[in-house]
Amino acid sequence: MDGGVTRKGPVTSSQVARRAGVSQSAVSRTFTPGASISPATRAKVLAAAKELGYRPNAIARSLITSRSRIIAVVMAYLENLFYPDVLEELGRRLAAEDYHVLLFTGFKDRDSDPVFDQLMQYRVDGIILASTSLSSDLSEECAAAGIPVVLFNRTTERDAVSSVTSENREGARRLADFLVAGGHKRFAFISGLQNSSTNRDRYEGFRDGLKSHGIEDLTVQTGNFSRSEAETAARTILSAPERPDAIFVANDHMAVAVMDVARYEFGLSIPQDLSIVGYDDVGPSRWPSYDITTVSQPIDTMVDAAVRILMDQITSGLIEPVHELLPGELIVRSSARKPRSGLETVNGRTIYRSGDGL
Amino acid sequence: MDGGVTRKGPVTSSQVARRAGVSQSAVSRTFTPGASISPATRAKVLAAAKELGYRPNAIARSLITSRSRIIAVVMAYLENLFYPDVLEELGRRLAAEDYHVLLFTGFKDRDSDPVFDQLMQYRVDGIILASTSLSSDLSEECAAAGIPVVLFNRTTERDAVSSVTSENREGARRLADFLVAGGHKRFAFISGLQNSSTNRDRYEGFRDGLKSHGIEDLTVQTGNFSRSEAETAARTILSAPERPDAIFVANDHMAVAVMDVARYEFGLSIPQDLSIVGYDDVGPSRWPSYDITTVSQPIDTMVDAAVRILMDQITSGLIEPVHELLPGELIVRSSARKPRSGLETVNGRTIYRSGDGL
DNA sequence: CTGAAAGCGCTTACAG
DNA sequence: CTGAAAGCGCTTACAG
């Protein structure tokens, strides 16, 4: 308009500089917090920027600073509401730190190696892997490149990556205590993904908890954290001649499906005929139709920890694996028969803590 | 190692060029599909790249091509499982086109203006807004800047943005037909967000459908697409002296909550005492505990359409608003009393099409 | 097919 | 506080 030149594409700092009658450096400094710029110059720049509709180009800034302010979030699937909840909180927390989320989702593979190339090309400042993990090679590569990686709801001792989990082993052990105290006799476990640490810890915690009460028998079926596979597992377990009277399902997402099978296909009453407990304390487990006794995972605290680890390592440049292990609470609802004692009410929720005072 | 220089940061094309004994241009061409490069040179470059662990810097490429290959996806909240489902499919489809998702979520505002600045700074190639909209000013700005915007599950005639929706008006009209044919007499509607086109279309379709059967009375309560507000709305409606015998809840996410209130707080049997229908055909509506009669939104087709619009407009550079309106199906389940006739079974699902042959 | 060079839009020493 | 200049890592005419 004013130079008679039709602008193509977005406004640049040079155009703003020309309009404001200052150097391009001055424009840059105006938009760099903490840079040395006089109020007068700043005001001129701001006026010109507003007039032209200028917005700094984050891509160009990334190139020169070698900081993209982008965090890659890898979540293979969002079917389990736990993950959307995490994602939403992650979006909030990262936005507060002025970071942005490059999301990788909708692929069926077990690990995240296939998307790794993509995410590295964007020179992300950090990586959060939820419900998925990374091969050791790639973990090493990230460490070498100075890119912090945080596993969320998974952990590993092997690799050079950090992790945030909750006390799955302890939580599952407490569920065993709870069910035994409730007088249950025959136990089953519907597992998640065999190779996930979360599943392993919940399984081992439950098994060890039962053992500590002298119970060695435990029927196990595989659910792979999938609704339909959990249904199949439930059918197998409930068709057996000696039906269990308590099933621990490795997460609530599957537990909901198992309850539906028990009620609508086998006509069982819960918890009279069968007790079901889950893990996560995710949405549907709080709905009256399910009202599942479960162990909570503290999403907000976990997200906080993940973001803090990322920020610390980005700031310091030191990539030291940190393993954050946060406590959950056994939340007592109506999907399992209750013990006579040991229940407490805290903030309107009924919780159960093991007899050992933990 | 080989030059005695410790590399800092990721490998660059110049380093690869040196190693391969070619120009930096040759390296670039090797990684640019369709660029003119001899097989021999290409092989040398590829070998050197592999050795050094080179990955092209997408940020630098974006700067020079002014194409970021990033699509901003704005989803204010993910609580309603419909949106995670959409997000997952969107991730899949965009990845197939070699685009990436910059996700904006976890903010409570009604429109997306607050995140707009952020997303424009990253010079995204396109914007998808789901469950949220944009002010006219910003819509205009995008159009002027040549950035395609697609509203997903919202529409507008006003602004220079495209939209993908399903036939909400027609779907809701059919629900009215269905309920009337099922012999219901007193109707209520629990609404979504007042200012959303989706809510408006579903409301008007339902109201007009009832009118065409001579029914003018319709109790309306506001649910704002929120579980807890829907519960409150349900309590109000079900406490009234003349309780309705059919409630249309503006989406399944709320309908689930309404069913729980009806059953567990009011002791009603569904559908004997009360029929409930929803919209979306989202996860829980298919679970046996709810088994909701609803109208499906064809997520895959809708995502396909959204991605296609974006790709077309990015490729052509022409930003012409397109409004895609896709058909849904009334899926008959058990949450509402059924009419004696008009039901068909297609691919194992029972569906209902209005008497007018549509 | 290939290389040298310009340039994308910024940040940041450097010298005033 | 300010501006001129170098440079981030690429792509892409241009000339051979």
Side-chain angles (χ1 to χ4, degrees), chain B residues 69-349:
Chain B
R69 300 202 78 84
I70 293 177
I71 303 295
V73 174
V74 186
M75 265 182 195
Y77 66 101
L78 304 175
E79 193 193 330
N80 176 356
L81 251 184
F82 178 74
Y83 290 107
D85 281 358
V86 168
L87 189 51
E88 213 181 305
E89 186 59 22
L90 220 34
R92 225 183 320 264
R93 295 283 293 109
L94 287 172
E97 303 280 349
D98 200 24
Y99 275 82
H100 303 91
V101 172
L102 198 63
L103 178 70
F104 295 85
T105 187
F107 54 94
K108 281 279 166 281
D109 307 271
R110 284 298 173 238
D111 64 36
S112 302
D113 294 9
V115 299
F116 185 76
D117 235 57
Q118 310 283 319
L119 121 207
M120 290 298 274
Q121 293 195 5
Y122 277 91
R123 303 299 191 257
V124 298
D125 291 343
I127 302 173
I128 293 182
L129 299 169
S131 74
T132 179
S133 52
L134 206 59
S135 66
S136 295
D137 287 4
L138 298 184
S139 305
E140 291 303 333
E141 185 173 345
C142 286
I147 301 173
V149 177
V150 178
L151 300 184
F152 193 96
N153 204 25
R154 292 286 186 277
T155 188
T156 173
E157 292 81 41
R158 219 174 62 240
D159 298 323
V161 299
S162 300
S163 70
V164 176
T165 49
S166 70
E167 293 174 339
N168 290 306
R169 202 175 288 263
E170 165 60 18
R173 210 182 58 67
R174 213 177 294 171
L175 283 171
D177 288 348
F178 176 85
L179 291 174
V180 170
H184 299 85
K185 299 295 179 203
R186 292 181 307 285
F187 301 86
F189 174 66
I190 295 183
S191 79
L193 283 169
Q194 299 296 346
N195 59 352
S196 78
S197 64
T198 311
N199 181 66
R200 181 203 58 208
D201 291 346
R202 291 178 188 174
Y203 168 65
E204 292 179 2
F206 190 63
R207 183 201 57 195
D208 294 349
L210 292 178
K211 272 197 186 140
S212 73
H213 296 285
I215 297 165
E216 300 277 346
D217 259 19
L218 175 60
T219 305
V220 177
Q221 286 288 327
T222 303
N224 282 333
F225 291 140
S226 132
R227 245 194 98 83
S228 64
E229 292 183 60
E231 286 169 357
T232 307
R235 288 183 194 114
T236 306
I237 288 174
L238 297 177
S239 312
E242 274 275 271
R243 206 204 315 129
D245 58 356
I247 306 181
F248 170 32
V249 190
N251 70 9
D252 290 346
H253 174 64
M254 295 192 295
V256 164
V258 171
M259 283 182 75
D260 281 345
V261 168
R263 285 172 169 163
Y264 295 94
E265 296 182 22
F266 288 83
L268 300 176
S269 289
I270 294 171
Q272 292 78 4
D273 302 330
L274 174 67
S275 286
I276 290 179
V277 296
Y279 216 109
D280 285 349
D281 191 29
V282 87
S285 62
R286 286 183 287 244
W287 301 350
S289 292
Y290 299 102
D291 203 43
I292 299 178
T293 294
T294 189
V295 179
S296 63
Q297 294 216 86
I299 288 186
D300 290 8
T301 325
M302 288 171 72
V303 167
D304 245 54
V307 171
R308 195 167 24 70
I309 293 171
L310 239 33
M311 295 300 123
D312 284 355
Q313 301 198 353
I314 290 171
T315 308
S316 70
L318 295 173
I319 312 291
E320 274 295 308
V322 176
H323 297 286
E324 195 94 41
L325 190 60
L326 296 159
E329 208 67 83
L330 196 165
I331 311 219
V332 180
R333 299 205 180 91
S334 66
S335 70
R337 290 204 311 270
K338 298 169 194 171
R340 289 192 198 284
S341 68
L343 307 186
E344 320 169 26
T345 301
V346 180
N347 298 330
R349 297 188 313 185

Side-chain angles (χ1 to χ4, degrees), chain A residues 55 68 118 122 141 260 289, chain B residues 55 68 100 122 141 260 289:
Chain A
R55 251 183 288 264
S68 60
Q118 310 283 319
Y122 277 92
E141 185 172 346
D260 281 345
S289 292
Chain B
R55 252 183 286 265
S68 61
H100 303 91
Y122 277 91
E141 185 173 345
D260 281 345
S289 292

Side-chain angles (χ1 to χ4, degrees), chain A residues 9-12 53-63 68-70 75-81 83-85 87-89 91-92 95 98-108 116-123 138 141 145 227 231 253 256 260-261 263-264 284 286-290, chain B residues 9-12 53-63 68-70 75-81 83-85 87-89 91-92 95 98-108 116-123 138 141 145 227 231 253 256 260-261 263-264 284 286-290:
Chain A
V11 182
T12 69
Y54 172 69
R55 251 183 288 264
N57 183 332
I59 298 282
R61 173 181 289 161
S62 299
L63 187 57
S68 60
R69 302 202 78 86
I70 293 178
M75 266 181 195
Y77 65 101
L78 305 174
E79 192 193 330
N80 176 356
L81 250 183
Y83 290 106
D85 281 359
L87 189 51
E88 210 180 308
E89 187 59 20
R92 228 185 316 267
D98 200 24
Y99 275 82
H100 303 90
V101 172
L102 198 63
L103 178 69
F104 295 85
T105 189
F107 53 95
K108 282 279 166 280
F116 186 76
D117 235 57
Q118 310 283 319
L119 118 208
M120 290 298 274
Q121 294 196 2
Y122 277 92
R123 301 299 191 258
L138 298 184
E141 185 172 346
R227 246 193 96 84
E231 287 170 357
H253 173 64
V256 163
D260 281 345
V261 168
R263 285 173 170 162
Y264 294 94
R286 289 184 286 245
W287 302 350
S289 292
Y290 299 102
Chain B
V11 181
T12 69
Y54 172 70
R55 252 183 286 265
N57 184 331
I59 299 283
R61 172 180 289 161
S62 298
L63 187 57
S68 61
R69 300 202 78 84
I70 293 177
M75 265 182 195
Y77 66 101
L78 304 175
E79 193 193 330
N80 176 356
L81 251 184
Y83 290 107
D85 281 358
L87 189 51
E88 213 181 305
E89 186 59 22
R92 225 183 320 264
D98 200 24
Y99 275 82
H100 303 91
V101 172
L102 198 63
L103 178 70
F104 295 85
T105 187
F107 54 94
K108 281 279 166 281
F116 185 76
D117 235 57
Q118 310 283 319
L119 121 207
M120 290 298 274
Q121 293 195 5
Y122 277 91
R123 303 299 191 257
L138 298 184
E141 185 173 345
R227 245 194 98 83
E231 286 169 357
H253 174 64
V256 164
D260 281 345
V261 168
R263 285 172 169 163
Y264 295 94
R286 286 183 287 244
W287 301 350
S289 292
Y290 299 102

Side-chain angles (χ1 to χ4, degrees), chain A residues 256-272:
Chain A
V256 163
V258 172
M259 283 183 74
D260 281 345
V261 168
R263 285 173 170 162
Y264 294 94
E265 297 182 21
F266 289 82
L268 301 175
S269 289
I270 295 170
Q272 293 78 5

Side-chain angles (χ1 to χ4, degrees), chain B residues 44-67:
Chain B
K44 276 194 289 185
V45 170
L46 252 20
K50 186 159 193 190
E51 240 179 295
L52 299 176
Y54 172 70
R55 252 183 286 265
N57 184 331
I59 299 283
R61 172 180 289 161
S62 298
L63 187 57
I64 194 89
T65 59
S66 41
R67 294 263 90 116

Side-chain angles (χ1 to χ4, degrees), chain A residues 220-276:
Chain A
V220 177
Q221 286 289 326
T222 303
N224 282 334
F225 292 140
S226 132
R227 246 193 96 84
S228 63
E229 294 184 57
E231 287 170 357
T232 307
R235 287 183 195 117
T236 306
I237 289 174
L238 297 177
S239 311
E242 273 274 88
R243 207 205 311 128
D245 59 353
I247 305 180
F248 169 32
V249 190
N251 71 8
D252 290 348
H253 173 64
M254 293 192 294
V256 163
V258 172
M259 283 183 74
D260 281 345
V261 168
R263 285 173 170 162
Y264 294 94
E265 297 182 21
F266 289 82
L268 301 175
S269 289
I270 295 170
Q272 293 78 5
D273 303 329
L274 174 68
S275 287
I276 290 178

